[in-house]
Amino acid sequence: MKKPDWIATWPVRFGAIAAATLMASACTAVSHQEDRVPVAESAPPAELVLTNAKVYTVDATNSVYQAIAIRDGLIIALGSDAQIAPLIGPETRRLDLHQRMVMPGLIDGHMHPLAGGAMLTACSLDYEPLTIDQILQRITVCLKEDGKKAPGEWLRVQAWFRQATQPAGADLTAEILDRLPTDRPVVVQASDFHSMAGNSAAIAAAGITDDTPNPSDGEIVRDEHGKATGIFLDGAMWQVIGSAPVPSADAQRQINLANARAAVQAVNAQGVTTLLNASARVEDMEAWADLRDEGGLTTRAVFAVKLSPDEAAQPDQAAAHIIDLAARYTLPGNAKAPGLVIDRAKLFVDGVVQAPAQTGAMIAPYFRNFGSSAHPQWAPGEKTGSLYFDEALLTRILDALVSRGLSAHMHTTGDKAIHVTLNAIQTVRQRHDAPHFRPALAHDEVIDPQDYQRFAQLGAIPVLSLQWGKPAPDTINTLVPQMGPERARFVETAGKFHAAGARIAFGSDWPIETLDEWLAMQIAITRKNPDPTEERYKGRLGDDPGLNIATAIRAFTINAAYSLNMEDRVGSLEPGKYADLIVIDRDLTAIPAEQIADTQVLLTVLGGREVYRADSFAQ
């Protein structure tokens, strides 16, 4: 990115910064440098100036300033109010922030925005722990509200918190869903997006029989007699959904556009200005382009194209497919106009570690309860999960991607999936000198402790859904006991990654989880559930130390930008970078961590343009 000449002629604020300093996520102190940014006399006036603020830059030393000036979508100066004053002209818009905190716009390194937009209007179970009867009652209400639909039209229900279905161990089946007062096909999507339940009408419409083979990346769950139960895991789930009738191409395009519109409005309200679509389809790309055409695109984006194991088995063709999509759907962007970058693949190396799915690939078997709920006896069972990409296949596809200037974002939940993925990355690193290759391992829910240090050694980035690191039904009820006492210490960790030198990035995984960036930041530090509904959900999760506030903020900003190869443009507030920033209602560095979740975004600015303003934030 070429900087204007008058920016390039300013005195440099910092001396040479060692590589270790660039990893300054360990920095907890902030550096006040209000006397270090002289303003060039020849600099033209700013278009927007924020004054009387605490500008937390997230630069290499977490510098703090009082004011920031913006022109042409770029940050042109930082300093005290007095130092920035010469940049205020007759046309400059000035905002007095009354000591409020300014920080970089949040960068969400793993989400599914169109699915999130669709979730906002879908029939939803709202991620709540419900009994079977309550689930059926909720869906029945949806069916009544949807009463004008044709008999063969499918109902897709979202946000089923499968691991928290009451009582413990309860699960949906086709037989249970057949109690619903409808002949329509009904599918109920688990909130993890890796399992789904369908009624008999959905199973029949999808052509699933007792003899239907499992896909290479999923499972049709069957009972002891070989009959499909109505539960579908990973690739089998999409096999069923793909059988649903689709609207006309024009109608579907309008639906996708509406979902994209709702998604960007929701993320802007959270303070997000850049995101990764972690499993993109052509439909997502078209919706993003349509949204830009109508002037409603208010987030920068990188899209990762999903490759199945079958597609990756032809690595040259798979890489060429991504390059072709990039040629067709890339949206060139600049400071003022957010674009779309398509430069990486999404690979599901395994499934999910939580029971009852247990498709996350583990080195040693999951524990199972050989006793009862009242008198549990946890001991190793037989199940070790599913590795959808073995090391050889993963190495081949990564090699093909890197050879063509592409990168990879990989779903890894179990310790075996993480270990195999790091092995493949190590092999590819030995073959290629490729600075653009910033392999991301998403989720990393259970890890072999010997692999922590390999992230920093290999330049691999753990993209963590930090909100999962708390006592809750999906950790305490299932994940912790099924790991056994030794592995339980390495469940949903964050501080241990940081202690090993890893560059942690954040990804919300919305709509697998609710969109609440600030709750996730709080949990990253406290490791506590702010709303424990039962005694067992109180206290911290495990012995992980969590993150400090400076490290957490970097995970949501500059580190996530680095994971997307965008740290030269976004992720910190520095002269010459895009003016993507937010104003929030509290100083995150000066409040108890338990108050972070209550943070309110007052203003979101993208390239110097206001894209969200809270009603409570006066003009």
Side-chain angles (χ1 to χ4, degrees):
M1 180 183 69
K2 186 178 186 300
K3 300 177 183 178
D5 292 339
W6 57 271
I7 288 182
T9 62
W10 286 4
V12 178
R13 290 183 299 157
F14 313 114
I17 302 172
T21 306
L22 289 177
M23 290 293 291
S25 57
C27 179
T28 57
V30 294
S31 174
H32 294 265
Q33 304 201 10
E34 294 177 357
D35 59 344
R36 299 192 185 181
V37 190
V39 173
E41 292 182 3
S42 61
E47 295 169 351
L48 173 65
V49 168
L50 308 181
T51 62
N52 191 18
K54 176 176 180 176
V55 183
Y56 187 88
T57 63
V58 198
D59 64 8
T61 57
N62 292 333
S63 304
V64 175
Y65 297 94
Q66 189 179 27
I68 182 170
I70 295 165
R71 181 179 177 80
D72 294 327
L74 300 173
I75 298 166
I76 60 172
L78 296 143
S80 67
D81 286 354
Q83 289 169 325
I84 298 301
L87 289 171
I88 299 176
E91 302 299 321
T92 301
R93 183 183 176 206
R94 177 177 174 178
L95 289 180
D96 183 333
L97 295 182
H98 301 284
Q99 301 296 310
R100 292 185 177 96
M101 185 172 182
V102 178
M103 62 180 287
L106 303 186
I107 298 175
D108 195 314
H110 182 111
M111 65 157 54
H112 310 275
L114 262 72
M119 180 79 79
L120 297 174
T121 57
C123 176
S124 177
L125 301 179
D126 298 322
Y127 308 92
E128 294 180 9
L130 302 172
T131 66
I132 295 297
D133 286 343
Q134 288 171 328
I135 291 171
L136 295 177
Q137 290 166 6
R138 293 276 191 97
I139 299 174
T140 298
V141 170
C142 291
L143 287 166
K144 290 179 179 178
E145 293 175 347
D146 214 24
K148 295 183 180 180
K149 298 294 184 182
E153 193 158 345
W154 292 45
L155 175 67
R156 186 170 172 183
V157 183
Q158 303 278 7
W160 166 38
F161 195 171
R162 187 183 182 197
Q163 292 81 15
T165 305
Q166 302 295 321
D171 206 9
L172 291 179
T173 63
E175 183 179 1
I176 289 172
L177 291 176
D178 287 347
R179 300 180 203 166
L180 292 166
T182 185
D183 294 327
R184 294 171 58 188
V186 177
V187 291
V188 184
Q189 183 85 57
S191 57
D192 60 20
F193 268 68
H194 288 266
S195 57
M196 184 188 74
N199 66 357
S200 294
I203 294 173
I208 302 295
T209 70
D210 296 345
D211 298 323
T212 302
N214 289 328
S216 61
D217 57 348
E219 179 184 355
I220 301 167
V221 177
R222 308 171 200 270
D223 62 20
E224 63 273 18
H225 304 296
K227 180 178 176 60
T229 65
I231 292 290
F232 302 91
L233 306 178
D234 291 312
M237 176 179 71
W238 303 112
Q239 183 176 330
V240 173
I241 294 173
S243 302
V246 297
S248 68
D250 288 343
Q252 186 61 56
R253 190 154 185 164
Q254 288 304 309
I255 292 170
N256 293 340
L257 174 58
N259 292 340
R261 191 184 299 125
V264 298
Q265 292 170 357
V267 300
N268 286 161
Q270 284 283 310
V272 174
T273 53
T274 300
L275 59 84
L276 172 74
N277 182 329
S279 186
R281 308 160 300 162
V282 169
E283 291 85 352
D284 300 67
M285 301 168 196
E286 291 175 342
W288 221 250
D290 290 344
L291 188 59
R292 176 161 171 172
D293 288 346
E294 73 170 22
L297 183 55
T298 54
T299 58
R300 309 185 196 280
V302 176
F303 279 15
V305 179
K306 179 186 175 184
L307 295 179
S308 71
D310 292 338
E311 291 168 326
Q314 302 294 323
D316 291 335
Q317 292 90 322
H321 171 62
I322 296 176
I323 291 171
D324 176 64
L325 291 175
R328 285 191 285 152
Y329 294 107
T330 291
L331 299 175
N334 55 43
K336 289 187 172 182
L340 168 60
V341 175
I342 303 164
D343 67 351
R344 63 199 64 205
K346 170 63 178 292
L347 309 171
F348 285 90
V349 181
D350 67 346
V352 292
V353 287
Q354 286 83 4
Q358 294 182 330
T359 50
M362 300 300 300
I363 295 170
Y366 290 92
F367 278 45
R368 71 182 182 91
N369 186 5
F370 289 88
S372 63
S373 297
H375 302 286
Q377 296 179 14
W378 291 92
E382 302 80 31
K383 199 169 184 179
T384 56
S386 304
L387 197 64
Y388 300 143
F389 283 80
D390 63 24
E391 186 174 329
L393 175 58
L394 188 57
T395 302
R396 287 198 300 275
I397 185 60
L398 290 181
D399 187 81
L401 293 169
V402 174
S403 297
R404 290 160 177 80
L406 302 171
S407 195
H409 189 91
M410 291 157 285
H411 170 107
T412 54
T413 63
D415 58 9
K416 184 176 182 179
I418 296 168
H419 186 76
V420 163
T421 300
L422 292 173
N423 288 349
I425 292 169
Q426 182 172 342
T427 301
V428 173
R429 287 285 192 212
Q430 292 167 350
R431 295 176 182 173
H432 300 276
D433 179 15
H436 72 274
F437 181 45
R438 297 180 180 176
L441 283 73
H443 312 314
D444 307 313
E445 295 189 73
V446 184
I447 183 171
D448 183 332
Q450 298 180 61
D451 279 334
Y452 281 117
Q453 62 183 2
R454 298 180 70 198
F455 279 80
Q457 293 169 352
L458 296 171
I461 303 165
V463 181
L464 306 180
S465 299
L466 294 163
Q467 69 274 13
W468 296 344
K470 66 183 183 302
D474 52 344
T475 53
I476 298 300
N477 295 11
T478 57
L479 184 52
V480 170
Q482 74 185 11
M483 289 299 120
E486 291 301 318
R487 286 184 301 188
R489 298 180 53 232
F490 308 106
V491 166
E492 306 291 4
T493 56
K496 293 178 181 179
F497 277 101
H498 175 62
R503 188 194 304 255
I504 299 168
F506 168 72
S508 66
D509 211 12
W510 182 56
I512 281 72
E513 280 284 338
T514 54
L515 183 63
D516 195 335
E517 309 276 315
W518 304 100
L519 173 64
M521 187 180 292
Q522 175 173 310
I523 291 171
I525 298 166
T526 67
R527 303 278 297 173
K528 294 180 180 179
N529 189 331
D531 185 26
T533 55
E534 299 181 27
E535 187 67 27
R536 57 182 164 168
Y537 304 145
K538 294 181 179 179
R540 295 174 63 91
L541 179 64
D543 65 357
D544 187 86
L547 306 178
N548 59 48
I549 184 60
T551 306
I553 290 174
R554 296 185 83 86
F556 284 72
T557 53
I558 193 65
N559 289 359
Y562 180 89
S563 75
L564 302 179
N565 298 76
M566 295 179 70
E567 77 282 2
D568 61 329
R569 288 157 285 166
V570 298
S572 63
L573 304 179
E574 302 181 71
K577 282 194 169 186
Y578 294 169
D580 293 0
L581 57 85
I582 57 176
V583 179
I584 56 178
D585 69 343
R586 63 199 66 202
D587 181 352
L588 299 176
T589 68
I591 60 173
E594 289 76 12
Q595 296 177 11
I596 294 173
D598 296 326
T599 298
Q600 297 296 309
V601 176
L602 303 177
L603 188 70
T604 302
V605 173
L606 182 85
R609 176 167 64 102
E610 181 180 312
V611 295
Y612 169 78
R613 178 185 286 265
D615 293 338
S616 61
F617 190 48
Q619 183 68 33

